[in-house]
Amino acid sequence: MTPSFWWIVPAAGIGARMGADLPKQYLELAGKPVLAHTLERLLAVPGWRGLVLALSEDDRWWEGLPQAAHPGVIRCCGGRERGDSVLNALRVLDGRAKERDWVLVHDAARPCLRVRDVQRLLAALADDPVGGLLATPVRDTMKRADAEGRVAATVPREALWHALTPQMFRYGVLREALESAAQAGAGVTDEASAIERLGGRPRLIEGHDDNIKVTRPGDLWLARVFLQAQSEEGA
Ligand code: C5P
């Protein structure tokens, strides 16, 4: 049986690399905003107890989404970095979530997440002492660059993975890890790194390559293709 859990969705970024005039989570993708796709998928996973969405203070778009009226969605303020946004959302769960409750953090900008991948993640980690994340093995040969843009080294790819989201950890441990990283100014870019800082070894659960983070302009086109392919295969 898969455990119950809380969703946390950092959606307070401005998406500067997209070069658009509105944050990337609100760009139109197959007829609706990216964030609407993402939330539809998250809310379709059985077992969630609540969803905390971290939004920028000057967000003018959220109220226009159908999910804004959903009783299970709790809104909070984002922070300067992604980790600050997640931490703010965890603080909102103070008094609602118990120390050992599972929390799944998913980027607002990943609209192609498959519900079945989340269910596999939940099932695989239900009894895990640490938690873990969806990830995909690196396929290309990897190069480390020097300051001149020349190859300094070829990095063996056998043990390398791309870290995706959702990332799944216990409420108390994740909060402690992110508070500690924030105090140390450690600038972690995902939840797993915060857990690793404290000595935890998150498990890698293989997901699908189509769980992309919309980051650059061409990614919207790719996301559209993936959504279409998923609907054709009934994913
Ligand atoms: O910028 P990046 O692509 O790494 O952002 C990943 C996710 O984190 C996005 O969904 C973005 O909205 C969110 N984010 C946030 N608060 C920030 C920066 C990013 O919630 N300060």
Side-chain angles (χ1 to χ4, degrees), residues 10-13 17 24-25 54 79-82 85 107-109 213 215:
R17 284 171 289 183
K24 59 186 178 182
Q25 57 272 25
R80 220 166 57 87
E81 306 289 341
R82 180 185 180 283
S85 297
D107 290 329
K213 184 169 68 172
T215 306

Side-chain angles (χ1 to χ4, degrees), residues 9-17 23-25 35 54-56 78-86 106-110 189 213-215:
V9 184
I14 52 168
R17 284 171 289 183
K24 59 186 178 182
Q25 57 272 25
L35 181 57
L55 295 173
S56 154
R80 220 166 57 87
E81 306 289 341
R82 180 185 180 283
D84 303 316
S85 297
V86 173
H106 183 67
D107 290 329
R110 293 187 189 270
T189 51
K213 184 169 68 172
V214 173
T215 306

Side-chain angles (χ1 to χ4, degrees), residues 13-30:
I14 52 168
R17 284 171 289 183
M18 210 61 198
D21 49 7
L22 75 169
K24 59 186 178 182
Q25 57 272 25
Y26 294 111
L27 292 174
E28 193 264 337
L29 167 64

Side-chain angles (χ1 to χ4, degrees), residues 178-226:
L178 285 173
E179 299 270 14
S180 158
Q183 270 165 25
V188 291
T189 51
D190 71 347
E191 291 62 52
S193 337
I195 299 286
E196 293 154 42
R197 254 193 93 246
L198 299 190
R201 293 172 56 221
R203 251 182 86 190
L204 296 159
I205 305 295
E206 187 164 351
H208 282 82
D209 290 318
D210 55 8
N211 183 11
I212 57 165
K213 184 169 68 172
V214 173
T215 306
R216 298 197 181 89
D219 295 338
L220 266 183
W221 176 85
L222 206 52
R224 196 166 298 127
V225 171
F226 285 144

Side-chain angles (χ1 to χ4, degrees), residues 63-147:
E63 293 300 335
L65 264 64
Q67 291 87 2
H70 196 297
V73 177
I74 308 160
R75 178 186 170 162
C76 79
C77 263
R80 220 166 57 87
E81 306 289 341
R82 180 185 180 283
D84 303 316
S85 297
V86 173
L87 193 48
N88 282 355
L90 286 169
R91 288 177 182 145
V92 165
L93 288 180
D94 207 333
R96 298 186 226 218
K98 297 199 188 69
E99 287 288 293
R100 288 186 55 75
D101 281 0
W102 287 111
V103 172
L104 269 67
V105 181
H106 183 67
D107 290 329
R110 293 187 189 270
C112 305
L113 173 68
R114 295 165 184 243
V115 169
R116 275 192 223 132
D117 275 1
V118 184
Q119 290 176 305
R120 280 195 311 106
L121 179 77
L122 285 163
L125 298 179
D127 299 317
D128 196 274
V130 181
L133 61 150
L134 283 184
T136 52
V138 163
R139 285 171 175 58
D140 300 313
T141 299
M142 304 299 283
K143 305 287 186 193
R144 189 185 309 285
D146 65 13

